[in-house]
Amino acid sequence: MKDIVDDREVLRDSNLRDALRNATSGPHQRLDVELSRLDLADDQDRRAFCMVQRRGFSRLAEACGWDAAEATTALRDTLEALDDDLGSAPASGPGLDLPLHRDAVAYLMLGSQLGTAVLRRRLPEPPLRGFFALTGDRGAWRAFCQRLATQPVDGPEAQRVLRDAIRAFSIFEHEARALLSALADGAL
């Protein structure tokens, strides 16, 4: 099987930020397709969306040891807001996911804030609190993008970031499929 970091499309990128965008475009699109099955104007679907977010970000937080580079504060704030929406989550046990590079988690966390801003417009009323009321940290996103724009795409650390970002999207896709399946079965 061909490794993503051997893909000519990714290798032609001159920096890690561009390579991340290209390497994760497929996984990102698959996740968007799964989540687009939810109607955010519907209370039950919006709750399910928030459950996917909490499950995914909780797993990512554990896998990066709560160190998500420029996104560490945003990660904590997001999980707190999701607890506000859904009620407190039970304390998690030891993480079962392999460790993820902090930059891979930061890419998903900070990028998701941009996506959430777009999704917020689909809500029937502007949220006053919780996940959809969070505003993205544009300063952290800018700093993250500037830092990664100076990092070359070759080398073992860059390859790990690319692989881990793909794995992080897979974690979210798994959580979305599991939750949507439970929703369809009436288990939620």
Side-chain angles (χ1 to χ4, degrees):
M1 182 169 148
K2 186 173 167 183
D3 195 337
I4 188 69
V5 295
D6 295 327
D7 187 321
R8 290 192 185 282
E9 194 69 22
V10 172
L11 288 176
R12 76 179 182 147
D13 292 322
S14 61
N15 65 63
L16 188 51
R17 180 179 184 263
D18 292 340
L20 268 170
R21 184 177 47 243
N22 285 329
T24 61
S25 65
H28 190 173
Q29 185 175 18
R30 285 191 304 275
L31 177 60
D32 284 350
V33 166
E34 289 294 323
L35 293 175
S36 70
R37 295 170 38 199
L38 296 168
D39 176 5
L40 296 180
D42 177 81
D43 289 341
Q44 183 179 356
D45 280 7
R46 190 169 49 253
R47 182 171 177 78
F49 182 90
C50 286
M51 289 173 75
V52 170
Q53 299 304 306
R54 180 163 68 184
R55 289 177 182 185
F57 283 124
S58 293
R59 287 179 65 185
L60 267 55
E62 291 295 324
C64 73
W66 290 89
D67 177 7
E70 291 89 344
T72 300
T73 299
L75 182 59
R76 289 185 190 282
D77 291 348
T78 295
L79 286 167
E80 285 176 16
L82 288 163
D83 283 349
D84 188 42
D85 287 331
L86 301 169
S88 294
S92 62
L96 301 176
D97 295 304
L98 294 173
L100 290 171
H101 194 284
R102 61 191 240 142
D103 288 340
V105 175
Y107 182 71
L108 260 75
M109 179 69 252
L110 295 170
S112 77
Q113 291 181 332
L114 301 174
T116 301
V118 172
L119 294 175
R120 187 178 301 115
R121 294 183 210 138
R122 296 185 191 166
L123 300 178
E125 296 178 22
L128 301 176
R129 54 189 279 193
F131 176 73
F132 283 103
L134 290 173
T135 57
D137 187 341
R138 293 178 189 257
W141 175 249
R142 237 181 337 273
F144 176 76
C145 290
Q146 288 172 347
R147 183 171 60 81
L148 265 62
T150 65
Q151 294 181 9
V153 72
D154 57 352
E157 185 168 4
Q159 292 179 13
R160 177 175 174 216
V161 171
L162 293 170
R163 284 188 191 100
D164 285 358
I166 292 166
R167 281 185 32 235
F169 272 104
S170 294
I171 287 170
F172 266 90
E173 187 178 0
H174 172 266
E175 293 298 343
R177 284 188 178 155
L179 198 116
L180 291 170
S181 177
L183 192 62
D185 292 341
L188 290 180

